[in-house]
Amino acid sequence: RAQLKKIFWGVAVVLCVCSSWAGSTQLAKLTFRKFDAPFTLTWFATNWNFLFFPLYYVGHVCKSEEKQSVRQRYRECCRFFGDNGLTLKGFFTKAAPFGVLWTLTNYLYLHAIKKVNTTDVSVLFCCNKAFVFLLSWIVLRDRFMGVRIVAAILAIAGIVMMTYADGFHSHSVIGIALVVGSASMSALYKVLFKLLLGSAKFGEAALFLSILGVFNILFITCIPVILYFTKVEYWSSFHDIPWGNLCGFSVLLLTFNIVLNFGIAVTYPTLMSVGIVLSVPVNAVVDHYTSKIVFNGVRVIAIIIIGLGFLLLLLPEEWDVWLIKL
């Protein structure tokens, strides 16, 4: 019964991850038709990270038997940064670099959506799993697995084939390079987090993500202002901004990150990763009816290769032992 319950929650989490990730990608594409400002959109959506810890505390009050005040819970979660809690030095050395990586990951992803279709962007971003394995193997000295090396090779081959599918045009090459850069920043974020901070409990993760939102408000706000006055990202009137699309994108991205970070409490981590892969066919169906994307043989094979590589990376370390037993 417990396993069935976990599988049921797993299906719900998979559907939530898939719909929120695909929905945010499509909504970003729709937003750029009226609001051509990817960095401003990144800044606006990252500000919503501030809600992570308040939402976690509401869940803590509802579910936990030992109720703690906000200050008590905050101090307990602050131990994640060291014995002295969250100091000014800890903020700049342990939180600020991840705030920069978070902003770069999202900005490069959104900027790529302007250059290429959402199907290519979503499938290429799946390569971040392969980059995480390669960096973990080199930096963290994780266990070598031949099947994951094969998966990394498949991911790289898929990137090359995806570039070839559009004939190596400069527009598509730049877009693909932006997605690969976004996937690389995402992988670097995850590996550095494990290297410098280790593993985080739910409250610690929620506080850390809220701190990234505070860092974004305090130190990144100046960049959209500069881009506006230099007319790099300019809009004529605030009334012309599609606030519905901006808020919808931010809510979907916040939902995706909440489920991805805290879904492990109710189901298996592998199932959550499957939801990211399933967003690719969803984006493909939407692109088929809304854009001029051509699903030629090379593009379809590239999508299948990258998807296969992603699934191979989900195999547990003891998969060969399980296979022999089976």
Side-chain angles (χ1 to χ4, degrees), residues 22 95 163 204 210:
T163 310
E204 295 167 347
S210 289

Side-chain angles (χ1 to χ4, degrees), residues 173 300 323:
V173 170
V300 172
L323 187 62

Side-chain angles (χ1 to χ4, degrees), residues 137-211:
W137 180 40
I138 296 168
V139 178
L140 303 178
R141 305 296 181 184
D142 280 3
R143 177 188 168 190
F144 174 81
M145 289 181 64
V147 68
R148 292 186 178 177
I149 288 292
V150 172
I153 293 171
L154 288 175
I156 295 170
I159 293 170
V160 175
M161 292 185 69
M162 191 67 75
T163 310
Y164 176 75
D166 287 329
F168 291 98
H169 296 302
S170 59
H171 201 66
S172 62
V173 170
I174 292 171
I176 290 169
L178 289 170
V179 188
V180 174
S182 175
S184 302
M185 292 298 105
S186 174
L188 187 60
Y189 175 98
K190 294 175 182 177
V191 173
L192 284 180
F193 188 93
K194 192 173 181 179
L195 177 66
L196 300 177
L197 300 173
S199 59
K201 298 176 182 177
F202 293 127
E204 295 167 347
L207 178 63
F208 183 80
L209 291 168
S210 289
I211 289 170

Side-chain angles (χ1 to χ4, degrees), residues 29-299:
K29 187 81 171 180
L30 190 64
T31 302
F32 290 143
R33 295 179 182 176
K34 297 181 180 179
F35 185 70
D36 188 10
F39 194 93
T40 305
L41 182 58
T42 302
W43 169 83
F44 182 80
T46 306
N47 288 339
W48 290 58
N49 277 16
F50 180 77
L51 296 174
F52 267 98
F53 189 74
L55 290 173
Y56 162 76
Y57 182 74
V58 170
H60 165 76
V61 171
C62 295
K63 299 292 289 184
S64 180
E65 295 179 359
E66 297 182 3
K67 304 290 189 295
Q68 291 181 317
S69 66
V70 177
R71 181 176 294 181
Q72 289 174 328
R73 197 67 199 149
Y74 170 78
R75 286 179 177 175
E76 189 171 320
C77 293
C78 272
R79 294 175 187 171
F80 176 65
F81 294 97
D83 296 332
N84 297 325
L86 181 62
T87 60
L88 192 63
K89 180 182 178 182
F91 178 81
F92 283 106
T93 57
K94 295 185 178 180
F98 293 100
V100 174
L101 288 174
W102 181 284
T103 301
L104 285 174
T105 299
N106 288 281
Y107 170 68
L108 293 174
Y109 186 87
L110 291 175
H111 197 65
I113 292 175
K114 290 174 54 183
K115 302 288 184 181
V116 293
N117 57 73
T118 56
T119 303
D120 292 356
V121 172
S122 58
V123 73
L124 286 169
F125 190 76
C126 290
C127 294
N128 80 313
K129 198 83 173 174
F131 299 156
V132 168
F133 162 69
L134 293 174
L135 284 173
S136 299
W137 180 40
I138 296 168
V139 178
L140 303 178
R141 305 296 181 184
D142 280 3
R143 177 188 168 190
F144 174 81
M145 289 181 64
V147 68
R148 292 186 178 177
I149 288 292
V150 172
I153 293 171
L154 288 175
I156 295 170
I159 293 170
V160 175
M161 292 185 69
M162 191 67 75
T163 310
Y164 176 75
D166 287 329
F168 291 98
H169 296 302
S170 59
H171 201 66
S172 62
V173 170
I174 292 171
I176 290 169
L178 289 170
V179 188
V180 174
S182 175
S184 302
M185 292 298 105
S186 174
L188 187 60
Y189 175 98
K190 294 175 182 177
V191 173
L192 284 180
F193 188 93
K194 192 173 181 179
L195 177 66
L196 300 177
L197 300 173
S199 59
K201 298 176 182 177
F202 293 127
E204 295 167 347
L207 178 63
F208 183 80
L209 291 168
S210 289
I211 289 170
L212 294 188
V214 173
F215 172 81
N216 187 72
I217 294 170
L218 294 178
F219 298 99
I220 307 295
T221 302
C222 59
I223 298 178
V225 175
I226 293 170
L227 294 176
Y228 175 79
F229 285 107
T230 55
K231 294 191 177 182
V232 176
E233 292 186 357
Y234 182 78
W235 54 93
S236 57
S237 171
F238 282 92
H239 297 289
D240 297 332
I241 299 175
W243 291 107
N245 290 348
L246 262 70
C247 293
F249 168 78
S250 302
V251 168
L252 286 174
L253 193 61
L254 180 67
T255 303
F256 170 77
N257 285 309
I258 287 174
V259 175
L260 207 62
N261 282 280
F262 305 124
I264 192 174
V266 293
T267 188
Y268 305 101
T270 304
L271 287 176
M272 294 187 293
S273 299
V274 170
I276 299 175
V277 179
L278 292 178
S279 67
V280 176
V282 174
N283 282 318
V285 171
V286 175
D287 281 347
H288 177 71
Y289 289 104
T290 59
S291 64
K292 298 179 181 179
I293 183 173
V294 178
F295 287 100
N296 53 30
V298 178
R299 175 173 272 112

